[in-house]
Amino acid sequence: MGSSVVSSRFSAKAESYEKYALVQKQMAAGLLAMIKRAAHHRSIKHILEIGCGTGGLTHLARAHFHEASYEALDVAPGMLQKAQQKMDQHQLTCTFIQSDAEEWVWNQQEKSKDQILSGACFQWFVQPERTLSGLYRLLRPGGSLFFSTFGTATFCELHDSFTRAHANLGEESVRHGLSLLDADQWIQMLESVGYEDIQATTQKVILTYPTVRDFLYSVKAIGANTNRDQAAGLGRRKLMLEMMDNYEQQYRSEQGIPVTYEIMYVHGKRG
C-alpha cells in the first residue's frame, strides 16, 4: 500500500484516533516499560521515533529521556499536528518530521542515533527487512531498536468469520486486512541485517464490543482499515453481512463481541 494512501487515511482519522486507539495506548506503556528495563539512561543522547501517530509513545518516552534530543517521524500531517498539541500540553519539546520512514532512513547520517523507538507502526512497512537494515544503519554501535507491532493472532475471530463467509457464498477465500508477521519472522529479519541480543515477547489482549459493527467502526476510526479485496457493490455488501452474521453466531458471549489483539514487543541492538 502506497505511503500517500496511508498518509491521507491516518490524517483524516487524527481526531478520532485518540478515542479509539485503546490497544495502541496499552502498547505505548508496555514498550516504554521494556525500554526502561533495558536502556542505560545516561548514554542516550539522540532518540528517533518512527511512526509517532498522535504522540502516545512520544510524550511518555520524551518525559523519561528529557535530556536527549528527540526526533519523531510520521507520514501523516494530521497525526503530527495532534502529536505537537500533546507535547505542548505536557510542555515537552520534540522535532517532528513528516516523511515516509522507509525512504527517509536512507538519507540520514549513519550511526547518528543512540535509540530508535516505534509503537504499532512496523506492520505497515512495505519492505520490512530493508527498512530494518536502514534503521540499523542509523544506530551507533551499542544503540538499540525497540518496537511494538501486531502478531498473526490479531483479529483471528474476524479472519475466521471472513473465511466462513466466503465458503458459505461459494467463493474462494481472500485475506482481509494486513498480512501480519509472527515473532520468528521478525527475529529472522533482525538477525539477517545484523542486530544482536534480540528479544521478542508477545501477549494477547481481548477487547469486547457491543456488536461486530461497533468493532469495525473502531478500526475505521483510527484509519487502520485496509483490504486486499477491492471488490465493491452488492457482492461486497453481501460478503460483509455474511461475515458479521458468522461472527455473531460463532463468538458472541454475554459480554459482547470478542476481538483478539496479539501484541509484540521487540528489542535488538547494533553490536
Side-chain angles (χ1 to χ4, degrees):
M1 181 170 297
S3 62
S4 61
V5 176
V6 175
S7 171
S8 59
R9 191 171 64 228
F10 275 111
S11 280
K13 300 301 181 183
E15 284 293 334
S16 55
Y17 186 93
E18 286 288 283
K19 180 179 177 181
Y20 289 97
L22 304 175
V23 173
Q24 286 81 354
K25 290 174 185 176
Q26 182 174 335
M27 291 168 82
L31 189 64
L32 185 66
M34 184 187 210
I35 292 165
K36 285 179 177 178
R37 288 193 298 270
H40 298 290
H41 197 289
R42 290 179 183 172
S43 64
I44 295 166
K45 295 182 173 62
H46 302 287
I47 298 174
L48 169 66
E49 182 185 346
I50 299 294
C52 64
T54 58
L57 174 62
T58 316
H59 85 274
L60 294 177
R62 188 71 182 105
H64 184 65
F65 296 104
H66 53 84
E67 293 179 3
S69 70
Y70 200 110
E71 290 178 300
L73 179 141
D74 201 278
V75 73
M79 291 285 183
L80 289 171
Q81 190 175 356
K82 281 286 174 189
Q84 183 66 69
Q85 290 172 7
K86 182 173 288 181
M87 297 298 278
D88 290 344
Q89 287 168 7
H90 289 88
Q91 297 181 313
L92 296 167
T93 59
C94 178
T95 301
F96 287 106
I97 301 161
Q98 186 201 340
S99 190
D100 179 354
E102 296 201 79
E103 299 305 322
W104 182 87
V105 292
W106 298 101
N107 301 318
Q108 307 308 306
Q109 184 182 342
E110 191 175 354
K111 299 179 183 177
S112 58
K113 307 300 175 191
D114 299 301
Q115 192 166 272
I116 299 176
L117 322 175
S118 183
C121 166
F122 280 20
Q123 68 274 7
W124 293 103
F125 286 164
V126 178
Q127 297 179 294
E129 187 167 337
R130 179 178 182 269
T131 307
L132 287 173
S133 181
L135 293 170
Y136 182 89
R137 176 183 165 274
L138 297 188
L139 284 171
R140 66 163 178 77
S144 288
L145 169 68
F146 296 91
F147 69 91
S148 64
T149 190
F150 295 103
T152 52
T154 300
F155 295 173
C156 56
E157 302 90 350
L158 177 68
H159 296 308
D160 177 57
S161 300
F162 265 124
T163 299
R164 290 171 185 272
H166 281 297
N168 291 348
L169 295 171
E171 300 172 357
E172 185 179 343
S173 187
V174 175
R175 171 75 183 187
H176 294 263
L178 292 171
S179 294
L180 299 167
L181 304 174
D182 62 28
D184 288 341
Q185 289 172 299
W186 282 110
I187 290 169
Q188 191 174 2
M189 285 191 292
L190 287 162
E191 287 176 342
S192 72
V193 299
Y195 289 89
E196 300 176 0
D197 300 335
I198 300 165
Q199 299 174 354
T201 61
T202 61
Q203 68 177 112
K204 287 184 181 176
V205 174
I206 299 176
L207 299 186
T208 54
Y209 292 84
T211 67
V212 178
R213 201 175 293 274
D214 288 310
F215 158 52
L216 295 175
Y217 180 82
S218 75
V219 173
K220 193 174 181 180
I222 63 172
N225 57 308
T226 180
N227 207 327
R228 302 286 185 228
D229 176 17
Q230 297 301 322
L234 291 175
R236 170 89 181 131
R237 177 170 169 74
K238 194 174 180 181
L239 174 65
M240 290 299 291
L241 291 172
E242 183 70 25
M243 179 279 290
M244 289 191 283
D245 190 43
N246 272 275
Y247 205 136
E248 290 276 350
Q249 288 180 24
Q250 293 293 323
Y251 295 105
R252 171 168 285 287
S253 69
E254 288 182 11
Q255 288 74 36
I257 294 295
V259 178
T260 297
Y261 291 81
E262 184 181 20
I263 299 172
M264 194 183 308
Y265 300 106
V266 186
H267 172 219
K269 291 179 73 174
R270 175 166 183 163

